[in-house]
Amino acid sequence: MSLPSTAHRTRAPGWIVWSLRAGATLHLLGVLGQAVLAGLFVTGDVDMLTAHRDNGGFTYAMLYVQLVSAILLWRPGRGPLWPALASAGLVAAETLQIVLGQERVIAAHFPLGMAVFGAAAVMTAWTWRGTA
């Protein structure tokens, strides 16, 4: 999967671009942390489940920073709409992810987590390569 063309770079104010980069990067780090903490939990360290839950809250909060920044990039920043739509899609996916985790539907929770990681990685890479 290739990143969207950088030919459509935006002239959005720097604070919008940097808030999107920060939100997306911190969100991606949180998602990666979720995988690490889940792995530690399933190998027998039951205390990691609490850390996984707490990190999930941080990760979800950073996703909302990303979403608001992506909306600001689009309007008033005159940037592309797709980052806001992709961020909204991630909010929907992570909301489902939270429900699946709370209900212990691990057969769906694990693969959805992998999909979220892939989408978050693409989004974060674009914020650093596709924005001016």
Side-chain angles (χ1 to χ4, degrees), residues 37-125:
L37 294 168
L40 291 170
F41 170 70
V42 299
T43 59
D45 191 346
V46 295
D47 293 335
M48 291 298 106
L49 186 58
T50 300
H52 182 70
R53 182 201 64 214
D54 294 345
N55 186 61
F58 165 80
T59 303
Y60 202 56
M62 292 304 100
L63 178 55
Y64 273 93
V65 170
Q66 174 183 312
L67 174 62
V68 169
S69 299
I71 291 169
L72 290 171
L73 179 72
W74 172 54
R75 294 290 180 263
R78 298 183 181 181
L81 172 61
W82 78 263
L85 296 176
S87 297
L90 275 168
V91 168
E94 287 188 30
T95 301
L96 176 60
Q97 182 73 337
I98 291 166
V99 171
L100 291 171
Q102 289 173 341
E103 296 297 320
R104 306 294 193 258
V105 184
I106 303 304
H109 186 73
F110 281 8
L112 182 55
M114 297 298 294
V116 164
F117 179 79
V122 168
M123 181 69 180
T124 302

